Amino acid sequence: MRERPSSRLLIVDPDDRLLLFKFVHLAGALKGQQFWATPGGGVDPGESYAAAACREMFEETGIRISDPGPEIAQRSVTFTLVDGEEVSSDERYFLVRVAHPDLSSVNWTELERAAIAAQHWWRRAELTATGETVYPEDIVEMLARAGVW
């Protein structure tokens, strides 16, 4: 199984709301699955987790940052990619505070455009109460441990 290190972004706005993307898979190995997850993605060869976080921040939100902030969590998880490949991922979570909730999808890949159906800024109570699938499953606890919520 291929190792796929990744940087995940816990993006929080001035109102302490967390940005999540809703992924809805209409085709491929994940057809029929839908869930909310953090922005972020794989670390490129030779790239650090922090550099990947900065790159992913720009690609997925349009916001340029030179420092992704503190790495507040790490998890190891196995999952299936859209193309059906099963990977083992060492995920690092960075807390990024933004000055405003304005986002751009202009740099999204075709794959992201096909899978991301919505974006939403979540309050703690709303996220705690949702019945929808959210990854990582302990995201509320991650943010509580970091002092955000």
Side-chain angles (χ1 to χ4, degrees), residues 99-114:
H100 56 79
D102 301 329
L103 306 171
S104 171
S105 61
V106 71
N107 297 310
W108 286 6
T109 64
E110 275 188 51
L111 189 60
E112 289 163 341
R113 290 183 194 288

Side-chain angles (χ1 to χ4, degrees), residues 11-13 15-20 120-131 134 137-149:
I11 304 170
V12 178
D13 76 358
D15 295 325
D16 288 334
R17 297 179 304 170
L18 174 70
L19 176 65
L20 294 176
H120 183 68
W121 291 94
W122 295 75
R123 295 190 183 283
R124 179 182 184 158
E126 180 184 20
L127 193 53
T128 302
T130 189
V134 177
E137 298 86 345
D138 64 342
I139 198 165
V140 172
E141 292 80 11
M142 278 184 188
L143 290 167
R145 284 191 305 270
V148 174
W149 287 342

Side-chain angles (χ1 to χ4, degrees), residues 6-146:
S6 67
S7 291
R8 309 301 309 179
L9 303 163
L10 298 167
I11 304 170
V12 178
D13 76 358
D15 295 325
D16 288 334
R17 297 179 304 170
L18 174 70
L19 176 65
L20 294 176
F21 290 154
K22 184 172 189 172
F23 292 84
V24 176
H25 297 282
L26 302 175
L30 302 179
K31 184 177 180 177
Q33 293 186 31
Q34 58 181 326
F35 52 86
W36 291 90
T38 63
V43 175
D44 289 339
E47 187 177 43
S48 69
Y49 283 94
C54 292
R55 176 182 50 76
E56 289 288 341
M57 180 75 174
F58 178 66
E59 290 174 1
E60 297 193 358
T61 70
I63 300 170
R64 284 195 189 274
I65 58 172
S66 58
D67 178 357
E71 181 183 315
I72 65 160
Q74 182 273 336
R75 78 173 187 156
S76 295
V77 63
T78 300
F79 62 91
T80 304
L81 297 174
V82 174
D83 65 4
E85 180 186 12
E86 193 169 337
V87 295
S88 175
S89 184
D90 177 5
E91 297 182 335
R92 308 294 174 94
Y93 288 81
F94 292 87
L95 177 61
V96 181
R97 292 207 174 257
V98 295
H100 56 79
D102 301 329
L103 306 171
S104 171
S105 61
V106 71
N107 297 310
W108 286 6
T109 64
E110 275 188 51
L111 189 60
E112 289 163 341
R113 290 183 194 288
I116 299 173
Q119 54 196 23
H120 183 68
W121 291 94
W122 295 75
R123 295 190 183 283
R124 179 182 184 158
E126 180 184 20
L127 193 53
T128 302
T130 189
E132 296 193 60
T133 302
V134 177
Y135 295 118
E137 298 86 345
D138 64 342
I139 198 165
V140 172
E141 292 80 11
M142 278 184 188
L143 290 167
R145 284 191 305 270

